Amino acid sequence: MKLFDCHTHLFEYPRDEITEILDRAQYSGVVGAILAGTTIETSRESIELAKKDTRLFAGVGIHPMDIKEEPNYQTIDEIRQMLNEPRVVVISEVGLDGMEGAPVQELQESVLRMHIQLGHEFGLPIIYHARFAYPWILDVLKEEKAGELGGAAHYFQGDLETAYRCIDMGFYISLARPLLRIKELQEVTRKIPLDAVVLETDCYPQPFKKKRENWTEPRHVLEVAEAVAELKGLDLNEVVEHSGNNIIDMLGHRSPEVARLMID
């Protein structure tokens, strides 16, 4: 079993860098990644990139901070057409955001519910964004029966109670590099079952970091896996195997191509 990055924004990098980024990841044992769209345009872009490199897969969705208006028939139809694409394996990045300046709550909920309903139509899991949105988002997910679809709590940084509420609803806990520095998240990771964990980087260009080699890339999933292993007192191979199986299980009927990459 190999490692897999279940949430990236690689479409934000220059096109001539992406192959090298994926090669570095593969050298570190990270064999594939999902591109999480944030708008109609970047969702479409993610699909096109995934068609060009077998290590990439696409997520389709409108990020809550990118919501401009109520979803209309044209928008829903565009999303529906993209969800038919075989390289699309999840609905993402969608969710709720409580940060100052975010769109109004009612509009965010409306767009999230639309995505979940399309998830039911296509049988696709939801990898969701929840910044300052717990426990609010859990109520919406429950009302829309999103747990039947499964998916993951993206870039999770919540407390243990929230983690178990997500798990009990049917979602994996997606861990990223914050695990390396946030002590509270480390304690949560020690206590939740490994069968509930998937791994990601949420990577995107980071020019605020002076050295290019310090930018987060899919290769850094290995660091996250190593941290999980150390926190739980497990062999790294056990973390790799469990997190890999969890990804395959999460993706359901869209998992075969991902599984081919990950299974030795």
Side-chain angles (χ1 to χ4, degrees):
M1 186 69 71
K2 303 293 184 182
L3 290 163
F4 189 85
D5 188 342
C6 77
H7 194 99
T8 76
H9 300 290
L10 286 175
F11 53 80
E12 295 188 6
Y13 283 87
R15 294 294 167 268
D16 59 359
E17 286 192 34
I18 292 176
T19 297
E20 292 181 2
I21 289 170
L22 292 172
D23 289 346
R24 286 193 288 270
Q26 197 158 358
Y27 183 79
S28 298
V30 183
V31 295
I34 295 173
L35 301 162
T38 56
T39 63
I40 294 294
E41 293 75 20
T42 58
S43 294
R44 191 177 294 116
E45 198 173 350
S46 296
I47 294 169
E48 293 308 309
L49 287 170
K51 288 179 177 178
K52 294 175 181 176
D53 194 309
T54 57
R55 295 171 289 186
L56 292 176
F57 299 85
V60 170
I62 301 172
H63 190 287
M65 296 298 286
D66 288 297
I67 296 170
K68 306 300 183 188
E69 59 186 2
E70 284 282 351
N72 55 40
Y73 288 115
Q74 180 180 349
T75 299
I76 295 170
D77 188 58
E78 286 185 84
I79 295 173
R80 184 176 279 116
Q81 289 181 40
M82 287 190 282
L83 295 179
N84 270 315
E85 292 281 352
R87 301 300 293 180
V88 173
V89 294
V90 295
I91 292 178
S92 183
E93 180 174 357
V94 302
L96 301 175
D97 199 307
M99 192 172 75
E100 185 177 353
V104 297
Q105 177 174 328
E106 293 78 7
L107 180 56
Q108 289 193 54
E109 285 192 20
S110 176
V111 174
L112 175 57
R113 291 178 193 276
M114 176 269 290
H115 282 104
I116 297 171
Q117 289 159 15
L118 287 172
H120 283 293
E121 182 178 335
F122 287 87
L124 289 173
I126 312 290
I127 296 183
Y128 69 84
H129 168 106
R131 180 168 51 188
F132 307 128
Y134 287 114
W136 165 33
I137 194 167
L138 296 176
D139 295 333
V140 177
L141 293 169
K142 184 176 181 180
E143 289 168 12
E144 295 295 333
K145 298 183 172 56
E148 295 176 3
L149 300 169
H154 152 62
Y155 214 72
F156 186 82
Q157 297 180 51
D159 60 19
L160 185 61
E161 179 184 359
T162 301
Y164 269 107
R165 287 191 64 184
C166 296
I167 294 165
D168 291 345
M169 193 178 292
F171 291 94
Y172 289 97
I173 301 300
S174 188
L175 298 171
R177 292 184 93 186
L179 181 63
L180 308 182
R181 57 180 171 78
I182 300 177
K183 294 187 182 301
E184 294 82 1
L185 184 58
Q186 292 168 357
E187 287 304 310
V188 170
T189 301
R190 285 191 180 98
K191 294 175 180 176
I192 61 174
L194 189 55
D195 285 343
V197 170
V198 293
L199 307 174
E200 64 161 288
T201 60
D202 195 29
C203 64
Y204 57 92
Q206 296 173 300
F208 53 86
K209 294 181 178 179
K210 294 181 180 179
K211 295 183 178 180
R212 172 61 181 83
E213 59 266 28
N214 291 335
W215 292 13
T216 301
E217 296 182 1
R219 63 188 171 91
H220 290 113
V221 164
L222 176 58
E223 288 185 4
V224 184
E226 290 171 339
V228 173
E230 182 177 354
L231 288 165
K232 289 185 164 295
L234 300 172
D235 183 84
L236 176 61
N237 289 331
E238 190 171 353
V239 174
V240 172
E241 182 173 356
H242 277 263
S243 63
N245 285 330
N246 293 345
I247 287 285
I248 293 168
D249 179 69
M250 180 182 76
L251 298 181
H253 70 99
R254 294 280 177 101
S255 70
E257 292 299 319
V258 174
R260 286 190 187 97
L261 286 178
M262 297 175 69
I263 298 173
D264 292 329

